[in-house]
Amino acid sequence: MTKAEMFLKVVMSPHDPPQAFVDNFIKLIVDSDTACFQKVLEMKGLKRSEASTMLDIFRQRAPVQATTTTTSSTPGSLFHSNPEQESRIHKLEKLIKKRL
């Protein structure tokens, strides 16, 4: 599966047991970091209280290298490795926001 499909699976999955949602994210998106997880929570449209709870769980369960974020990354380059994939993910974000 492509990276965009993995993100779609995570965004569309239920978030109700927060631990299961975080584990699913870590399992499906191997090379993730805190900023990437925050972007997924933003795409899901969660309340800040729910998002902060999940972020705490993510920080506890994520591998050590996943919790470090780089300050040089721009918000648009969190998941994108090439322009083609960037446009696909941008279209996916628009579609998800439109349906919420």
Side-chain angles (χ1 to χ4, degrees), residues 2-19:
T2 65
K3 201 169 189 179
E5 290 173 325
M6 293 298 182
F7 279 105
L8 182 60
K9 272 188 161 184
V10 171
V11 170
M12 298 307 288
S13 68
H15 65 273
D16 193 10
Q19 295 82 4

Side-chain angles (χ1 to χ4, degrees), residues 8 11-12 43 87-100:
L8 182 60
V11 170
M12 298 307 288
M43 286 192 295
S87 66
R88 286 181 181 173
I89 292 179
H90 189 66
K91 288 177 185 177
L92 178 63
E93 287 176 349
K94 284 183 179 180
L95 179 66
I96 291 170
K97 286 181 182 180
K98 189 183 288 185
R99 294 203 179 189
L100 295 178

Side-chain angles (χ1 to χ4, degrees), residues 18-19 24 29 42 59 62 69 77 96:
Q19 295 82 4
N24 190 33
I29 302 169
E42 182 182 309
R59 287 183 180 133
T69 58
S77 68
I96 291 170

Side-chain angles (χ1 to χ4, degrees), residues 23-39:
D23 289 340
N24 190 33
F25 176 83
I26 292 170
K27 181 177 67 173
L28 290 175
I29 302 169
V30 180
D31 57 344
S32 61
D33 61 2
T34 306
C36 180
F37 186 68
Q38 286 175 325
K39 184 73 173 174

